[in-house]
């Protein structure tokens, strides 16, 4: 079990701020990358189909190499592992813009995704341990900081694109700045190390059954999130015949709703518990889905997408938290949940498009509504390893 000398509340609050800054930096990389994908496509000379293939490689890299994070953390300690993995992720931002063709683009995006996934597992494991020691929920706000970082990164990328800046220069500068910020943030996180006699986790292992069950709840949430994020604007344009501006505003509103809900979600979790919070979120997301598929006009549909965002916002943070407390190896369990949720994020956009081609977008979002209802039914699995202040205080503490 990872251990560190006992810390007072002031030190724990500093550790919380530090890990929140890490989440923000991690999200900023994604935001900076996403806004320059059109430039990267043009520079590499790839078609839309080739670009779609290449954009699958980050998820492949993440899924394959996330399990390594636990072994790296065991060997080097949580702080050093996060420092190295986060630096790999921030520096990897500079790679895609350098790719001259589809083959190199696929290769660098594999590396980009692998570094993203390993650092993701490391920072979530540290977030769960910090939450345990504080004795109150922080995972929702940590993921809110990730979303905030993504918004800041998107704004920076949009500004660079507006200026017509070469993405190679933009991403090189952003990678350097974010690496320095990430290294500074890592200085304040918990310096967890394996206790003497702890057996190193396997580099690759099937995640525990508990993580697979928790991951299915995360799958439902991420499917609804990915479908809404990628298809909400198209839905308003094609189904409700709205203007491009109104359609784009719907996507922005959905993103902001998710960010605000995550930043504020910890209070709800502390008051009502993870199970009731997710169950209530599932009800809101289901209602949102019903509004979307029955909307007579754009206002109702935008409200529906907003409710979906509000309902699913805290599910993934709580799934990671439950996984981190569901067994003796938090990194391995979190990697299992993350693999399932990453797969959902990869599958959702294409599944929505495929169903829409065969039937309609309305039918596609009827599926989203059904999966949102699955959150209500599956919320109870997030009770695994529930955190209580009394349980945290009772844990033995060993020197690092």
């Amino acid at each position: 079990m990872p251990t560190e000398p006992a810390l007072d509340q002031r030190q724990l609050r500093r550790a919380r701020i530090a890990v929140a800054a890490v989440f923000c930096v991690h999200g900023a990389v994604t935001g900076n990358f996403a806004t320059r994908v059109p430039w990267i496509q043009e520079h590499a000379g790839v078609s839309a189909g080739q670009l779609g293939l290449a954009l699958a490689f980050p998820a492949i890299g993440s899924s394959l190499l996330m399990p390594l994070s636990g072994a790296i953390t065991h060997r080097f300690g949580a702080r050093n592992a996060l420092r190295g993995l986060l630096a790999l992720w921030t520096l990897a931002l500079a790679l895609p813009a350098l790719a001259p063709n589809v083959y190199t683009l696929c290769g660098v995006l594999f590396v980009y995704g692998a570094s993203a996934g390993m650092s993701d597992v490391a920072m979530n494991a540290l977030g769960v341990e910090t939450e345990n020691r504080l004795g109150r929920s922080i995972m929702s706000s940590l993921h809110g900081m990730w979303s905030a970082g993504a918004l800041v990164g998107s704004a920076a990328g949009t500004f660079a694109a507006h200026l017509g800046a070469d993405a190679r220069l933009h991403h090189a500068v952003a990678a350097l700045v974010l690496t320095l910020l990430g290294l500074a943030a890592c200085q304040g996180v918990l310096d967890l190390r394996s206790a003497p006699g702890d057996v190193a986790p396997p580099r690759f292992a099937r995640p525990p059954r508990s993580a697979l069950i928790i991951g299915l709840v995360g799958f439902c949430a991420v499917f609804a999130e990915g479908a809404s994020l990628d298809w909400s604007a198209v839905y308003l344009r094609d189904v409700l015949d709205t203007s491009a501006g109104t359609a784009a505003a719907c996507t922005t509103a959905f993103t902001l709703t998710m960010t605000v809900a995550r930043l504020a979600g910890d209070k709800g979790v502390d008051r009502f518990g993870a199970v009731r919070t997710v169950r209530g979120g599932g009800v809101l997301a289901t209602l949102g889905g019903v509004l979307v598929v029955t909307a007579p006009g754009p206002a109702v549909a935008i409200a529906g997408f907003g409710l979906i965002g509000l309902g699913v916002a805290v599910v993934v943070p709580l799934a990671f938290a439950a996984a981190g407390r569901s067994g003796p190896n938090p990194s391995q369990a979190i990697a299992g949940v993350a693999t399932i949720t990453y797969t959902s994020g990869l599958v959702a956009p294409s599944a929505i498009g495929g169903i829409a081609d065969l039937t309609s977008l309305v039918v596609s979002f009827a599926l989203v509504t059904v999966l949102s209802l699955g959150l209500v039914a599956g919320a109870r699995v997030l009770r695994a390893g529930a955190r209580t202040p009394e349980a945290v205080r009772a844990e033995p503490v060993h020197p690092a």
Side-chain angles (χ1 to χ4, degrees):
M1 179 179 178
T3 60
E4 185 185 73
L7 301 176
D8 60 32
Q9 286 297 306
R10 184 178 178 184
Q11 292 171 310
L12 288 173
R13 285 194 294 269
R14 287 178 178 174
R16 177 189 177 176
I17 293 171
V19 76
V22 168
F23 271 77
C24 189
V25 168
H26 197 284
V29 176
T30 300
N32 272 284
F33 168 74
T35 52
R36 303 313 302 272
V37 168
W39 190 99
I40 293 170
Q41 178 185 11
E42 183 178 352
H43 174 71
V46 300
S47 66
Q50 290 173 325
L51 178 64
L53 172 65
L55 290 176
F57 275 79
I60 295 172
S62 293
S63 299
L64 290 178
L65 293 184
M66 275 189 293
L68 281 177
S69 184
I72 294 171
T73 297
H74 177 86
R75 179 170 181 178
F76 298 104
R79 182 184 291 170
N80 288 332
L82 180 61
R83 185 184 288 127
L85 293 173
L86 186 65
L88 282 177
W89 165 234
T90 53
L91 291 172
L93 173 61
L95 297 178
L98 302 176
N101 54 55
V102 66
Y103 304 107
T104 53
L105 183 60
C106 289
V108 298
L109 287 178
F110 180 92
V111 174
Y112 174 86
S115 59
M118 290 189 292
S119 56
D120 194 320
V121 171
M123 71 186 190
N124 272 286
L126 263 172
V128 171
E129 184 62 24
T130 304
E131 177 179 270
N132 288 343
R133 291 169 184 263
L134 281 167
R136 55 192 171 86
S137 178
I138 65 168
M139 288 301 291
S140 180
S141 62
L142 291 182
H143 282 253
M145 288 299 294
W146 189 96
S147 298
L151 286 173
V152 171
S154 297
T158 300
F159 181 69
H162 181 72
L163 293 178
D166 189 308
R168 290 169 294 189
L169 176 61
H170 162 212
H171 282 172
V173 172
L176 177 61
V177 171
L178 291 173
T179 298
L180 293 175
L181 291 174
L183 290 174
C186 287
Q187 286 297 106
V189 302
L190 295 177
D191 190 17
L192 304 176
R193 296 181 183 276
S194 298
D198 277 1
V199 178
R203 289 183 175 86
F204 296 98
R206 190 176 69 178
R209 183 172 178 271
S210 59
L212 295 176
I213 297 171
I214 293 168
L216 290 177
V217 177
F219 181 96
C220 293
V222 173
F223 193 99
E225 177 184 348
S228 299
L229 188 62
D230 290 345
W231 287 93
S232 58
V234 178
Y235 190 96
L236 261 70
R237 184 194 65 191
D238 292 355
V239 176
L240 299 174
D241 196 27
T242 62
S243 66
T246 301
C250 180
T251 302
T252 302
F254 174 82
T255 304
L256 288 174
T257 299
M258 290 230 13
T259 302
V260 171
R262 281 179 171 169
L263 289 172
D266 290 323
K267 291 184 178 179
V269 176
D270 282 333
R271 181 171 181 179
F272 301 108
V275 175
R276 283 194 288 176
T277 300
V278 171
R279 192 166 285 152
V283 171
L284 289 177
T286 302
L287 176 60
V290 171
L291 289 179
V292 168
V293 299
T294 61
V300 175
I302 291 173
F305 282 115
L307 285 176
I308 293 175
L310 185 63
V312 304
V314 301
V315 178
V316 171
L318 292 180
F320 282 146
R325 292 189 290 268
S326 65
N329 191 331
S331 293
Q332 183 181 343
I334 290 172
V337 171
T339 299
I340 296 171
T341 57
Y342 271 55
T343 301
S344 181
L346 177 64
V347 168
S350 57
I352 293 296
I355 295 171
D357 282 342
L358 293 174
T359 54
S360 69
L361 272 175
V362 174
V363 174
S364 295
F365 276 91
L367 173 61
V368 171
T369 305
V370 172
L371 289 176
S372 297
L373 189 61
L375 297 176
V376 180
R380 66 184 182 276
V381 305
L382 300 185
R383 187 177 287 112
R387 168 196 45 77
T388 66
E390 292 75 14
V392 173
R393 286 195 293 268
E395 289 181 359
V397 178
H398 308 274

